Amino acid sequence: SYVQDARASADRLIELVNALLDISRLESGKLQVSLEPVSLQKVTGDLGGELATLIRDKGHTLRVDVPAAAPAALADPQLIRQVMLNLLSNAIKYTPPGGTVAVSLTPGRTMLRWAVRDSGIGIPKAAQARLFEKFFRADNAHTVDTEGTGLGLYLVRLIVERLGGEVTCESEEGQGAEFAFTVPIAG
């Protein structure tokens, strides 16, 4: 058990260092962004598969409303995956056992809107204005047995803005939250 604890601690430290490096590169404009057509439908499906065990262990229901014929996004494949993984993981993490997590993709004229809604703990109104700041965690996040650095949503915002989109949150404490981002349509 000591080896497992040490391994888990090392993994968390590696994740923190990588997040700080990504943030530093994004803030300085030195992160290479490779824009290409990316199927958000495929990335959503892949992430659902990767997180299936976690979803099942928490007893969640995952609903996916992603049209098969939606156009591709113009994005960096690794960065957009990182954004979607962070938002979907947060929805799972902050939803009590037996809750619902719903993912949707809505094409617009020039932008795609990807959103994840959960039936979790929600976010206090006073904290919503600071959600995308570096090192910020809402007070009620500490009531759930989760780990976090307050860097994930900040990194999400930096990436989405770098890709030409916008990230938003709508929430009511105790009623869940919806996080969404937009990215340009390829072509």
Side-chain angles (χ1 to χ4, degrees):
S1 72
Y2 292 124
V3 172
Q4 287 175 333
D5 290 346
R7 173 68 188 232
S9 294
D11 288 344
R12 283 192 300 274
L13 186 58
I14 290 168
E15 287 177 25
L16 175 62
V17 169
N18 286 334
L20 288 169
L21 289 171
D22 286 345
I23 286 169
S24 176
R25 288 185 200 113
L26 281 163
E27 288 176 336
S28 68
K30 293 182 181 176
L31 182 70
Q32 293 293 329
V33 176
S34 174
L35 296 179
E36 60 186 74
V38 178
S39 168
L40 297 188
Q41 302 92 310
K42 180 174 178 351
V43 177
T44 300
D46 292 348
L47 290 175
E50 288 175 35
L51 298 170
T53 301
L54 180 59
I55 292 166
R56 187 174 46 254
D57 288 350
K58 289 200 77 175
H60 291 338
T61 299
L62 176 64
R63 295 189 184 130
V64 179
D65 181 17
V66 178
L74 182 62
D76 182 292
Q78 282 76 36
L79 293 177
I80 201 69
R81 182 188 181 287
Q82 189 172 359
V83 166
M84 294 165 73
L85 177 61
N86 183 291
L87 295 177
L88 188 53
S89 296
N90 280 354
I92 294 166
K93 184 171 27 174
Y94 292 108
T95 299
T100 301
V101 176
V103 176
S104 64
L105 177 65
T106 310
R109 227 178 81 247
T110 60
M111 304 290 272
L112 288 169
R113 181 180 186 272
W114 187 94
V116 59
R117 175 168 285 287
D118 63 58
S119 61
I121 64 172
I123 301 153
K125 289 284 184 213
Q128 290 180 27
R130 298 192 56 211
L131 274 180
F132 299 101
E133 292 178 10
K134 194 186 305 185
F135 299 116
F136 180 78
R137 291 187 77 202
D139 290 337
N140 69 337
H142 302 289
T143 65
V144 178
D145 186 23
T146 62
E147 297 174 5
T149 59
L151 292 174
L153 292 177
Y154 178 68
L155 186 57
V156 163
R157 181 178 63 86
L158 290 178
I159 292 171
V160 169
E161 287 176 354
R162 180 77 185 266
L163 296 175
E166 179 182 35
V167 63
T168 59
C169 172
E170 293 180 15
S171 181
E172 188 174 322
E173 191 171 9
Q175 301 297 313
E178 179 182 83
F179 283 85
F181 67 86
T182 57
V183 285
I185 292 174

